[in-house]
Amino acid sequence: MDSVQSPDWPVAPPGALAGNSAATRYGGPVPAPPPQHPAPPPPYRPPATAPTATGTARAKPPIPVKILIAGGFGVGKTTSVAAISEIVPLTTEAEMTMAGIGVDDPGQRSEKTTTTVAMDFGCVTIDRSLKLYLFGTPGQSRFGFMWDDLARGALGALVVVDSARLDDSYPAIDFFERAELPFVVGVNAFDGRLAHDLGAIRWALAIGDHVPLVQFDARDRLSVRDALLVVLDRALDRATRDKRA
């Protein structure tokens, strides 16, 4: 059998295509080298302050503070929350029916036709660092079981008082004294008048001088704001004393 001798292909210079390569013989493209896997990116680390669209650092959200607005039936708790809240307040008002006669007494001067059956909720921003969340308690004694849950996490309370019906305020004051929660007594001036002066009201409610007693109008936003600032000041004073102790 005759043997076939392969032709002598010229030796390619270093770095050039071999003379007997497929690209040289058939004119095809040079095969690409196998892909190299890139190195994994470094782990993400968020910036210390998130920049805004303008390039400035984003301000921290305000600190939430829970405040209760409590008191007897028909003293102006729902009105206070509605007057100060920067959002549409959440209310649980229900129409008063004949079944409530003799049970719920809103007073002779009141034209109240609804009552809170659970709670009221609203909020107001004091400044860039502080925001108050307001929880209005129900005034009827049969809803007293809710007070413990509503008071959980609260820093202070505004006890709203009707000077013509001081006896309706005793349960609320007793509750916060037993709970050792800082509170302020705010006497709601119905029609701009008080049935008794503040000194006589303090004596009748048997509250010490350490409990602030203020007069305010539940319908007026600025008046409610001033009363809440007293509550906030008392709560901060209590927190400062506890921290030092």
Side-chain angles (χ1 to χ4, degrees), residues 209-224:
D209 294 336
H210 64 284
V211 178
L213 178 66
V214 298
Q215 176 182 339
F216 80 109
D217 188 339
R219 301 165 298 180
D220 184 74
R221 176 182 176 86
L222 296 180
S223 184
V224 176

Side-chain angles (χ1 to χ4, degrees), residues 102-118:
V103 179
D104 300 329
D105 181 17
Q108 297 180 355
R109 297 178 301 171
S110 176
E111 299 178 356
K112 187 176 178 66
T113 59
T114 61
T115 181
T116 301
V117 296

Side-chain angles (χ1 to χ4, degrees), residues 70-231:
F73 177 66
V75 295
K77 301 182 297 297
T78 300
T79 303
S80 299
V81 174
I84 192 66
S85 179
E86 62 191 16
I87 64 172
V88 177
L90 169 65
T91 61
T92 55
E93 293 286 287
E95 291 290 335
M96 298 174 61
T97 64
M98 298 294 292
I101 297 179
V103 179
D104 300 329
D105 181 17
Q108 297 180 355
R109 297 178 301 171
S110 176
E111 299 178 356
K112 187 176 178 66
T113 59
T114 61
T115 181
T116 301
V117 296
M119 68 174 186
D120 301 314
F121 173 77
C123 64
V124 56
T125 302
I126 299 298
D127 54 30
R128 294 182 179 179
S129 63
L130 202 61
K131 188 169 186 176
L132 302 186
Y133 290 89
L134 310 174
F135 290 79
T137 64
Q140 302 93 322
S141 59
R142 62 181 180 276
F143 294 123
F145 66 92
M146 298 183 59
W147 283 44
D148 289 329
D149 292 333
L150 291 175
R152 188 174 293 111
L155 293 187
L158 175 65
V159 178
V160 184
V161 171
D162 180 357
S163 60
R165 296 185 295 128
L166 294 177
D167 53 340
D168 291 346
S169 306
Y170 296 147
I173 294 175
D174 291 342
F175 175 85
F176 292 114
E177 287 180 340
R178 291 195 305 267
E180 298 183 351
L181 187 68
F183 68 95
V184 172
V185 175
V187 184
N188 187 10
F190 286 89
D191 301 324
R193 300 190 304 272
L194 298 181
H196 309 281
D197 60 71
L198 293 182
I201 293 174
R202 181 181 292 277
W203 178 86
L205 296 178
I207 54 177
D209 294 336
H210 64 284
V211 178
L213 178 66
V214 298
Q215 176 182 339
F216 80 109
D217 188 339
R219 301 165 298 180
D220 184 74
R221 176 182 176 86
L222 296 180
S223 184
V224 176
R225 180 205 62 183
D226 292 342
L228 290 176
L229 288 178
V230 178
V231 177

